[in-house]
């Protein structure tokens, strides 16, 4: 995955000639197409496309390209986003008391597997501050109670704004955000649920899994949406378990899947490989 | 998995000395223990054990051994079952219109992977009779309607009795059996549900999976119980899917998991590796 | 996977404008692009592309389209193949004594998962003739010895020609074909090797796996090439094993992976999703 | 996995009565058996057993129990090891320049998934010292060259002795230890090889994997042995890859499998679940 690229994510009503017109327009701008993936949902008559260009081919300013493409897109009625491969997304991590997802995200970022900045960590509990310190990341402890929820969320949003955040990762934050928060950050909050959704929604999924005697447990990363655990799913995975594991054992084993699923989802988002359409994702 | 063995499946309240007493009793009968697996559920204070003996060590008649062990088991308050490795279970397969699980079970039996007899196939539709004929297995077409359900089930039960059936495999039979039927065959009916339970219970799981936009689909083999899709789970598995698959595509991909999960569950049962306790299974 | 499509598989030197020119040419012929996948190997400067068109959009005869595209391809220096989605490939299956892959291929074809004709089965042993009869497929028993190898292969090739075969599947045929045979059928013979290549090449891979004490065993489907077990790999998979399995146990467990891997490889080929380049495959 | 247990790992020639005698001896010492797993390799006539006892049942001193069991074991000709569940193994991690396995081991230890002490990290390069500092673990930089190899290894061994090390984990150390070192630490050095052994032994496995065009890459954790990459395998796993990944891409994807495989192997060792016999492991 080269980072010196330009990625266009496009969706539109499907009709003949879209590919021809789009690739020809880009060719006219002198671009080589490094990678093009396209998918047409024939049930919905909708076309989704990811185009990766070589940044070295850019002959104009960035804003000039975006402006020109916008004109073309309006003519062709395309919805689009443009991602510049040399721009490093700014990611805020929200946590509660559990450290495994936090450790995983931060170490992957340090190793260069997640290409992003992590300017701050926000938590409603002070427990993980030492880990933030270990990695020299500013830590904001914003406690929350039923009464102070609105106030606390306002502080969180102010921090996100102040730090110019592009993406919020709820790495086991364990709080439900209010609809207005979610709406303001639509498609920009990734949450990890510690179960294979839609199984075991809500609280204590490992206890539920134990009760049901399942032979696999899973985890689900999705964009946050108004309805709890109902947002567009980005990534899921499972791990085999057996009768020997009680709820605590399931939770221990599940940490690994949670870590892996959340990191893969964040990576897909950072690499501009995800398009959201209604309650589903296209992950190229 | 040698078939010339004797398998004891045992469960009891956990207490000191059970293993010592049981293995010593068997040693006193001249047996070599080929394989012993034991698991104690410390939350419930319950011990489960599978002991595999060498049939060649048997010095008495079979009924004498069973009688003697029963005496020992009563003293020690053990629940137990004994399976003779040279006895081939008699399995009835119930189907509806879908052939993939039927083909899989029958070909695995022919290849010697599922050690059992299949004396008959029962269906509420005539569609799969040609497959039964291909493999020269008697096929009984017993149509069912809301009105004739009781009558049809009586015929099914009569067939199971007449053919001396040990295990019923519902290979996509798509009918809910009445509680009295299930009770009469408790722990002897294996069903395949075409979803990763408890997700997508009930009808049309692939349609539900499509709606939810999941990234994996699964299948679940369980013993039939009174409550639909709630019986003790024996085996589950999943397969990765993506945005390109519509409900029909999911169903096509799902066939493979259904096949695999059902066969593994049936094999575990036939190899006497499953103990049921309440709504859970211990699969050794 | 709709079958009423036209698939173009294209490869060429990478250069600017290929996508624009190709999609524009197809648009000029009135085609809607259902699906386009493209991959550029920047190390080799080579572009690979799979384009799926709607057969309903065809306005000319098939040969006229092919002729016209050939002209365009020559100008643009593209290598290409065209596959008509309503044409059912004719597949010959070659077997020896082992039935699991044969059963799997034939039952999947019957269920419509492998869209192809199977006009004949060829074997150097008579053992599997009953299975061919079960499915009413002509069976040709052509024994082979060191002396008669050339002669036998000539008979095989005559059969392939007579039955208008498009693809040969070696479903555990266990014989090495001579280079001239392989050359004549380059890219049209799929073989299954019962190990995770390049581990355990050659004979008795399960014995080798047991000796080495591996914790997973696998299978590899590849196009046959001059060098034994060295052809372009199409599909691989593995299954977890443990210390309890001796070579026979590994072989039994391995049957499942062999089946699955071979079927997936054959399906990818039949759906025109594979491009071969040197000793590697691009599987879209 | 309770840690307040006693684990006996036992192996011996298989013969009748071993299980009875052993469990009866332990019962005579007042022990409840929490968990017993036994496996008989009938090809080799060898029995392997893992017995987990409740530490709370201990009535004597530890050395008295070990002495008494040793007497019993000598009579019965058992090889055995005893592990005390409240003892935390002391693990030295050896690294070179790559951080992903180091991060993984250290964070898992901090989260309590790997129950052990990590008193020091040893490296032939200074690159990872900052990570050691982050986690406040002493870091020893011992450079190595062809000339100084013997000398450097002597220093390493002195450190292992001085820090009372029980287990050495080569977390991508990338150096071959001399036979005398390995012999001195037989069964106490775990190495990760970044390929699915026996495929791609030796240097640059990801380059080899790319050349061969495999569709999965893997990792192997094994005890170090005299012959490079030939020691008893503890754990293996793979991940699916495709044609888009060049050697660097394979290496990036492979990091995840390496991490997971090494951690699982170390955990199995720390939980006293591994018995070595000749060149194979029994992992209970």
């Amino acid at each position: 995955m080269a980072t010196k690229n330009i990625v266009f994510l496009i969706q539109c009503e499907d009709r003949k000639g879209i590919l021809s017109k789009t690739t020809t327009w880009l060719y006219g701008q002198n671009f080589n197409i490094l990678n093009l993936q396209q998918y047409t949902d024939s049930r919905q008559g909708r076309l989704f496309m990811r185009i990766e260009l070589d940044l070295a081919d850019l002959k104009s300013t960035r804003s000039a390209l975006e402006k020109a493409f916008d004109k073309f897109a309006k003519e062709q009625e395309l919805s689009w986003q443009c991602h510049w491969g040399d721009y490093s997304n700014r990611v805020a991590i929200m946590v509660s008391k559990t450290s495994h997802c936090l450790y995983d995200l931060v170490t992957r970022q340090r190793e260069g597997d997640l290409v992003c900045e992590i300017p701050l960590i926000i938590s409603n509990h002070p427990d993980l501050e030492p880990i933030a310190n270990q990695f020299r990341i500013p830590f904001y402890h914003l406690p929350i109670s039923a009464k102070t929820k609105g106030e606390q969320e306002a502080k969180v949003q102010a921090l996100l704004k102040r730090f110019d955040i592009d993406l919020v990762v709820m790495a086991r934050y364990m709080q439900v955000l209010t609809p207005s928060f979610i709406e303001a950050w639509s498609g920009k909050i990734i949450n990890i649920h510690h179960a294979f959704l839609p199984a075991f929604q809500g609280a204590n999924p490992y206890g539920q899994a134990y009760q049901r005697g399942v032979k696999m447990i899973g985890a689900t990363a999705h964009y946050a949406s108004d309805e709890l655990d109902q947002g567009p799913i980005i990534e899921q995975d499972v791990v085999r378990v057996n009768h020997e594991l009680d709820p605590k054992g399931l939770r221990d084993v599940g940490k690994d899947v949670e870590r892996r699923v959340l990191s893969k989802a964040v990576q897909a988002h950072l690499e501009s490989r995800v398009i959201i359409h209604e309650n589903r994702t296209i992950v190229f």
Side-chain angles (χ1 to χ4, degrees), chain A:
Chain A
M1 301 292 159
T3 53
K4 303 306 175 74
N5 57 18
I6 314 171
V7 175
F8 281 90
L9 294 178
I10 294 167
Q11 58 173 300
C12 63
E13 297 286 301
D14 185 34
R15 63 184 189 282
K16 282 184 190 172
I18 288 288
L19 263 164
S20 163
K21 283 169 189 161
T22 308
T23 56
T24 301
W25 190 91
L26 292 167
Y27 180 44
Q29 303 283 324
N30 186 48
F31 282 111
N32 189 25
I33 291 176
L34 297 177
N35 216 306
L36 185 150
Q37 284 167 290
Q38 168 268 343
Y39 159 66
T40 302
D41 184 335
S42 53
R43 291 163 63 99
Q44 305 205 32
R46 200 151 184 86
L47 180 147
F48 304 91
M49 187 155 49
R50 182 183 188 273
I51 305 177
E52 203 177 327
L53 308 171
D54 192 338
L55 185 53
D57 288 336
L58 181 66
K59 297 296 179 207
S60 65
T61 64
R62 296 181 183 206
S63 58
L65 177 68
E66 292 193 357
K67 203 169 159 188
F69 191 82
D70 191 52
K71 187 161 169 289
F72 167 76
K74 283 213 174 84
E75 285 160 21
Q76 302 295 331
E77 297 178 49
L78 316 177
S79 297
W80 64 285
Q81 293 180 308
C82 173
H83 300 273
W84 299 92
D86 59 355
Y87 173 75
S88 207
N89 275 269
R90 298 175 63 79
V91 177
I93 302 179
M94 298 184 75
V95 295
S96 191
K97 294 179 167 186
T98 320
S99 60
H100 58 285
C101 286
L102 175 61
Y103 263 137
D104 195 61
L105 291 166
V106 174
T107 56
R108 280 176 199 267
Q109 186 250 5
R110 290 296 151 95
E111 287 167 23
D113 294 332
L114 293 181
V115 180
C116 63
E117 308 298 317
I118 303 176
L120 82 164
I121 295 167
I122 299 170
S123 181
N124 56 334
H125 291 287
D127 307 51
L128 303 186
E129 182 158 16
I131 296 177
N133 291 342
Q134 261 188 317
F135 291 87
R136 298 178 190 280
I137 301 172
F139 181 89
Y140 290 83
H141 174 213
L142 299 174
I144 194 165
S145 69
K147 271 193 188 163
T148 63
K149 185 161 185 143
E151 199 183 321
Q152 193 254 17
E153 284 196 354
K155 284 182 194 162
V156 172
Q157 296 213 55
L159 280 172
L160 300 182
K161 198 171 172 187
R162 179 176 137 209
F163 280 93
D164 240 339
I165 292 306
D166 299 296
L167 176 70
V168 177
V169 178
M170 295 172 73
R172 301 291 308 270
Y173 178 54
M174 310 303 280
Q175 295 290 321
V176 181
L177 301 175
T178 53
S180 64
F181 192 146
I182 287 168
E183 202 182 333
W185 286 84
S186 174
K188 292 179 176 171
I189 304 174
I190 296 177
N191 183 40
I192 180 78
H193 182 72
H194 41 315
F196 187 81
L197 287 176
F200 309 132
Q201 301 178 28
N204 194 18
Y206 292 124
Q208 293 181 56
Y210 174 79
Q211 284 306 328
R212 185 60 191 89
V214 291
K215 299 299 184 189
M216 292 185 138
I217 55 169
T220 304
H222 61 93
Y223 289 108
S225 74
D226 265 25
E227 260 185 284
L228 185 61
D229 300 335
Q230 296 295 324
I233 293 172
I234 310 166
E235 171 70 10
Q236 298 189 289
D237 209 347
V238 296
V239 65
R240 197 163 279 279
V241 298
N242 67 17
H243 54 266
E244 295 193 23
L245 296 166
D246 62 8
K248 191 196 165 304
L250 294 176
R251 203 178 64 216
D252 288 347
V253 168
K255 286 163 71 175
D256 237 13
V257 200
E258 293 173 33
R259 253 189 286 250
R260 205 159 66 227
V261 165
L262 181 57
S263 291
K264 280 184 88 169
V266 171
Q267 188 170 2
H269 182 99
L270 294 176
E271 292 173 2
S272 308
R273 293 192 282 107
V274 188
I275 299 181
I276 302 172
H277 178 58
E278 293 173 359
N279 204 40
R280 304 157 56 79
T281 63
I282 286 87
V283 182
F284 286 114

